[in-house]
């Protein structure tokens, strides 16, 4: 069997190591296209230039190109259909991808089949001085949530409690939305869009009814038209704030709620026409009202969950991405990992800003990883870094480190992380509280 050439947009060493553990990886050769720093460590996305350079590199490759994949959100996710169409490799269509990633179009499509499970919503122009008035005309009143039509992570998302909150959010959006709107508009130009969607370009924002509850993510894929949800991961926040504390797998949601989420997932993804690609959908379960809400659809696996699936099921769910890109039904094991439960923890500080003066040494990191077998610690800051320079942060805190851990039960998992966190030593100066 000849080796298969798989190109990965933004391939870094952490994910190369994960990919090389996949089933069949001995027959795969992984090649990077576009440097990881261009999609990880920046908030500037010259997507037209990146697509052009990726095409040039792929065109110059002297062997067959069997797959082009990625595991990142914007801009990688939106580049893939363009590159795959150009080189004849498998991907869902650009239009079906945009029905997930263009948040206004996505809500319109969701409303057609699962209208009882989505919040009230409307689009608005952040540069329109009458924007707040128009939002009210659509029946949305304080509190509500605003975010760009194409958001990236939790960036530029705001809870609005008052006209003053809205004024602050709009000011930030006016200043920063261009970093996303311009490259996203480039992608939209390549798609066949309904007029009502084309009119709401990447410079627009969404206002949505506040939803909440127990948050989780359904990971799934579509293979030859069949929608397959294969795992549910809980997303647990710090008390009283929007920042994530950890992701936990498998979910502890009641079985009937998990099954209903799988049913909704199959319904909406089939309606969208998404095919031959991975996705995940974020949901809330409001325990008080016993109501499920669909938060958003992402057109990729959640990279944060790779280690969780490897620890619990036996292999990173990058297996799904690679298998689909090669035209194969995904070969995901189930509960064959070394741990019964796993989590990705976010070690955070809740500053407005600060300068980092100390981070844990590599010797300290290695000692902690040995003290807690199976643990992986990834620092996100360096000495001298200003926290406000960190990309892809929410509006309320900064993640200094990611910590993946496994255990035999939830109590042991959380206790082990608490012990580890006490030994992660960072120092700061010029703190703005």
């Amino acid at each position: 069997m000849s080796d298969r050439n798989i190109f990965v947009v933004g391939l870094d060493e952490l994910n190369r190591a994960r990919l090389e553990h996949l089933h069949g990886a001995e027959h795969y050769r992984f090649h990077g296209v576009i440097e990881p720093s261009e999609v990880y460590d920046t908030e500037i996305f010259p997507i037209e230039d990146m697509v052009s350079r990726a095409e040039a590199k792929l065109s110059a490759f002297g062997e067959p190109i069997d797959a082009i994949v990625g595991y990142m959100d914007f801009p990688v996710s939106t580049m893939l259909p363009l590159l795959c169409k150009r080189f004849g490799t498998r991907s869902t269509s650009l239009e079906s991808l945009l029905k997930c990633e263009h948040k206004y179009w996505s809500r319109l499509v969701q409303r057609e089949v699962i209208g009882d499970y989505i919040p009230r919503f409307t689009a608005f122009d952040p540069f329109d001085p009458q924007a707040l008035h128009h939002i009210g005309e659509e029946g949305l009143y304080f509190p509500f949530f605003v975010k760009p039509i194409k958001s990236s992570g939790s960036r530029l998302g705001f809870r609005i409690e008052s006209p003053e909150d809205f004024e602050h959010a709009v000011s930030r959006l006016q200043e920063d939305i261009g970093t996303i709107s311009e490259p996203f508009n480039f992608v939209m130009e390549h798609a066949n869009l309904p007029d009502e969607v084309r009119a709401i370009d990447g410079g627009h924002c969404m206002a949505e009814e506040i939803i909440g509850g127990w948050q989780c993510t359904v990971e799934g894929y579509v293979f030859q038209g069949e929608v397959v949800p294969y795992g549910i991961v809980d997303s647990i926040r710090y008390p009283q704030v929007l920042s994530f504390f950890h992701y936990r797998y498998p979910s502890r949601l009641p079985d009937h709620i998990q099954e209903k989420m799988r049913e909704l997932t199959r319904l909406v993804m089939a309606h969208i026409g998404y095919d031959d690609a991975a996705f995940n959908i974020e949901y809330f379960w409001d325990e008080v009202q016993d109501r499920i809400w669909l938060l958003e659809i992402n057109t990729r696996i959640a990279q944060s969950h790779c280690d969780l699936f490897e620890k619990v099921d036996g292999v990173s769910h990058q297996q799904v991405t690679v298998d689909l890109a090669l035209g194969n039904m995904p070969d995901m094991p189930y509960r064959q990992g070394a741990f019964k439960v796993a989590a990705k923890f976010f070690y955070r500080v809740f500053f407005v800003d600060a300068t980092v003066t100390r981070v844990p040494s590599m010797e300290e990191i290695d000692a902690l990883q040995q003290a807690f077998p199976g643990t992986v610690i990834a620092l996100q800051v360096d000495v001298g870094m200003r926290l406000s320079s960190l990309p892809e942060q929410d509006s309320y805190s900064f993640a200094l480190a990611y910590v993946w851990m496994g255990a035999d039960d939830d109590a042991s998992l959380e206790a082990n992380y608490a012990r580890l966190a006490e030994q992660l030593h960072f120092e700061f100066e010029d703190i703005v509280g």
Side-chain angles (χ1 to χ4, degrees):
M1 177 179 179
S2 60
D3 287 348
R4 313 296 294 277
N5 291 303
I6 300 169
F7 281 82
V8 184
V9 180
L11 178 63
D12 62 2
E13 291 309 309
L14 175 63
N15 284 289
R16 181 183 289 278
R18 288 171 172 163
L19 290 166
E20 290 174 349
H21 289 150
L22 300 184
H23 297 164
E26 65 273 15
H27 301 297
Y28 303 154
R29 286 194 292 159
F30 296 104
H31 311 271
V33 57
I34 302 298
E35 289 298 312
S37 61
E38 295 189 61
V39 292
Y40 278 107
D41 302 326
T42 181
E43 295 182 355
I44 306 301
F45 306 118
I47 195 167
E48 184 173 3
D49 176 63
M50 286 195 286
V51 169
S52 177
R53 286 188 286 114
E55 288 182 342
K57 180 169 183 176
L58 291 162
S59 295
F61 188 64
E63 302 176 39
I65 297 171
D66 297 292
I68 306 170
V69 302
Y71 37 75
M72 289 283 295
D73 196 359
F74 187 80
V76 173
S77 57
T78 48
M79 291 171 60
L80 290 174
L82 302 178
L83 294 173
C84 290
K85 183 177 182 179
R86 166 73 172 77
F87 292 95
T89 59
R90 292 172 181 82
S91 169
T92 194
S93 69
L94 178 59
E95 287 75 18
S96 66
L97 180 137
L98 289 175
K99 286 179 185 178
C100 303
E101 294 213 9
H102 186 296
K103 296 197 178 299
Y104 181 65
W105 195 7
S106 190
R107 286 301 193 204
L108 293 177
V109 174
Q110 293 165 30
R111 189 166 62 188
E112 292 170 357
V113 288
I114 57 167
D116 291 340
Y117 299 91
I118 64 172
R120 288 175 294 167
F121 66 93
T122 189
F124 70 93
D125 181 351
F127 293 92
D128 178 3
Q130 296 299 311
L132 185 58
H133 174 71
H134 295 322
I135 290 170
E137 288 182 328
E138 295 297 324
L140 278 170
Y141 308 106
F142 303 123
F144 57 86
F145 199 77
V146 300
K147 55 189 173 183
I149 284 292
K150 176 63 197 129
S151 59
S152 181
S154 301
R155 193 162 63 93
L156 297 179
F158 302 91
R159 182 184 173 98
I160 308 300
E161 302 273 0
S162 66
E164 292 75 21
D165 285 349
F166 187 75
E167 183 178 349
H168 168 71
V170 163
S171 176
R172 286 281 309 279
L173 288 161
Q174 290 175 350
E175 182 178 350
D176 295 334
I177 198 170
T179 61
I180 296 178
S181 66
E182 292 177 14
F184 191 58
N185 286 343
F186 168 78
V187 174
M188 289 178 63
E189 289 170 3
H190 290 76
N192 182 19
L193 304 174
D195 290 341
E196 63 182 325
V197 173
R198 188 172 294 282
I200 307 298
D201 68 6
H204 285 74
C205 296
M206 289 283 284
E208 292 194 341
E209 177 185 6
I210 296 290
I211 56 177
W214 184 331
Q215 188 172 354
C216 69
T217 301
V218 175
E219 295 281 357
Y221 64 84
V222 189
F223 177 65
Q224 297 182 356
E226 182 182 1
V227 183
V228 181
Y230 59 85
I232 301 180
V233 179
D234 293 331
S235 302
I236 298 163
R237 297 179 185 269
Y238 283 88
Q240 308 304 317
V241 295
L242 292 175
S243 303
F244 288 114
F245 175 30
H246 64 278
Y247 303 144
R248 178 184 61 200
Y249 179 66
S251 173
R252 296 296 183 257
L253 281 164
D255 289 344
H256 73 283
I257 296 298
Q258 294 191 46
E259 181 51 43
K260 183 62 178 180
M261 289 177 176
R262 287 189 285 266
E263 176 189 332
L264 294 171
T265 296
R266 287 187 285 265
L267 185 62
V268 74
M269 296 310 291
H271 182 66
I272 284 170
Y274 196 83
D275 202 6
D276 293 328
F279 67 87
N280 69 70
I281 303 183
E282 298 175 53
Y283 289 98
F284 286 114
W285 174 46
D286 183 330
E287 298 177 68
V288 176
Q289 300 185 57
D290 192 23
R291 184 169 185 177
I292 294 171
W293 299 102
L294 190 155
L295 176 58
E296 66 180 14
I297 306 172
N298 300 300
T299 58
R300 50 169 174 77
I301 63 166
Q303 188 184 169
S304 290
H305 300 164
C306 291
D307 196 71
L308 310 188
F309 280 94
E310 184 166 0
K311 281 179 164 48
V312 175
D313 288 337
V315 70
S316 164
H317 64 157
Q318 286 164 315
Q319 187 77 50
V320 171
T321 298
V322 171
D323 285 342
L324 290 169
L326 291 172
N328 302 323
M329 178 179 288
D331 180 21
M332 275 296 292
Y334 182 77
R335 303 300 189 261
Q336 296 179 24
F339 301 95
K340 293 182 180 179
V341 61
K344 176 188 179 181
F345 292 93
F346 296 82
Y347 184 96
R348 297 183 181 274
V349 290
F350 293 85
F351 300 152
V352 173
D353 207 354
T355 298
V356 181
T357 58
R358 183 192 189 278
V359 301
S361 67
M362 289 309 302
E363 291 77 15
E364 291 172 318
I365 296 296
D366 288 342
L368 285 171
Q369 291 179 160
Q370 291 179 27
F372 298 92
T375 294
V376 177
I377 302 171
L379 299 183
Q380 302 301 300
V381 295
D382 297 309
V383 171
M385 179 180 288
R386 194 72 177 157
L387 292 180
S388 55
S389 70
L390 276 170
E392 300 298 334
Q393 301 296 304
D394 62 37
S395 301
Y396 308 95
S397 67
F398 298 97
L400 306 182
Y402 303 147
V403 181
W404 289 271
M405 304 184 79
D408 288 335
D409 55 65
D410 294 351
S412 298
L413 184 68
E414 294 184 26
N416 288 345
Y417 174 71
R419 288 167 52 210
L420 181 147
E422 290 177 352
Q423 301 173 67
L424 275 178
H425 298 307
F426 295 84
E427 295 178 5
F428 310 89
E429 64 182 14
D430 301 327
I431 296 173
V432 182

